[in-house]
C-alpha cells in the first residue's frame, strides 16, 4: 500500500514538481540539440543523413515517453531523471520528505 503522503500533493509541491520537470526537460532537449549539431557537421552521405533522422526519431519517442507530467507516476519519473543527471535532488526541495526519500532510493537502481 502506498503511503498517503506520497499520493497527496499540495499546490506548492505541484508547482515545485512542475518547475523541476520543466528544467529537466530543457536539459534533455539541450542534450539532443548538442548531439544534433555535432553529428550534423559530419554528414557527407545519404546514409549518414538517415542515421541522424533515425536518431532524432528515436529521441522524440524517448522524450515523449519520459516527459509525461502526471502526479501518479512522477516519483518514478523524477527518480529516472535524477539517475540520468537531468535533475538534481536539490531542485525538489520543498517536497514532502517522504517523496524525496522515495525518489532518492529509486534513483539508485
Amino acid at each position: 500500500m502506498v503511503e498517503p503522503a506520497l499520493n497527496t500533493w499540495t499546490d506548492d509541491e505541484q508547482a515545485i514538481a512542475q518547475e523541476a520537470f520543466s528544467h529537466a526537460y530543457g536539459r534533455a532537449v539541450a542534450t539532443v540539440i548538442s548531439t544534433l549539431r555535432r553529428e550534423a557537421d559530419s554528414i557527407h552521405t545519404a546514409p549518414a543523413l538517415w542515421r541522424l533522422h533515425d536518431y532524432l526519431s528515436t529521441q522524440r519517442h524517448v522524450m515523449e515517453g519520459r516527459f509525461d507530467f502526471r502526479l501518479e507516476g512522477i516519483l518514478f519519473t523524477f527518480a529516472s531523471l535524477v539517475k540520468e543527471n537531468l535533475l538534481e535532488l536539490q531542485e525538489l526541495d520543498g517536497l514532502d520528505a517522504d517523496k524525496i526519500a522515495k525518489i532518492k532510493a529509486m534513483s539508485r537502481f
Side-chain angles (χ1 to χ4, degrees):
M1 182 173 176
V2 178
E3 299 174 34
L6 298 177
N7 285 330
T8 305
W9 292 79
T10 66
D11 290 343
D12 287 343
E13 284 183 314
Q14 288 182 45
I16 291 165
Q18 184 65 60
E19 184 173 352
F21 184 85
S22 294
H23 286 287
Y25 180 77
R27 289 183 193 110
V29 169
T31 299
V32 172
I33 291 170
S34 176
T35 300
L36 175 64
R37 286 187 174 139
R38 187 177 56 253
E39 295 297 320
D41 287 340
S42 66
I43 295 175
H44 301 290
T45 65
L49 179 63
W50 306 141
R51 277 192 300 278
L52 188 57
H53 171 270
D54 293 345
Y55 167 77
L56 285 173
S57 294
T58 300
Q59 289 305 308
R60 181 176 183 176
H61 177 75
V62 167
M63 298 264 302
E64 287 175 351
R66 177 184 298 153
F67 288 95
D68 182 10
F69 188 84
R70 285 188 258 175
L71 291 176
E72 61 268 9
I74 200 69
L75 298 181
F76 293 104
T77 300
F78 283 158
S80 173
L81 295 172
V82 168
K83 185 176 182 173
E84 295 172 25
N85 297 314
L86 293 171
L87 181 67
E88 297 291 328
L89 283 172
Q90 299 88 317
E91 293 177 279
L92 300 171
D93 284 348
L95 295 186
D96 179 80
D98 289 340
K99 289 181 178 97
I100 292 176
K102 182 85 169 174
I103 293 164
K104 189 175 182 179
M106 289 188 300
S107 71
R108 293 183 186 140
F109 300 100

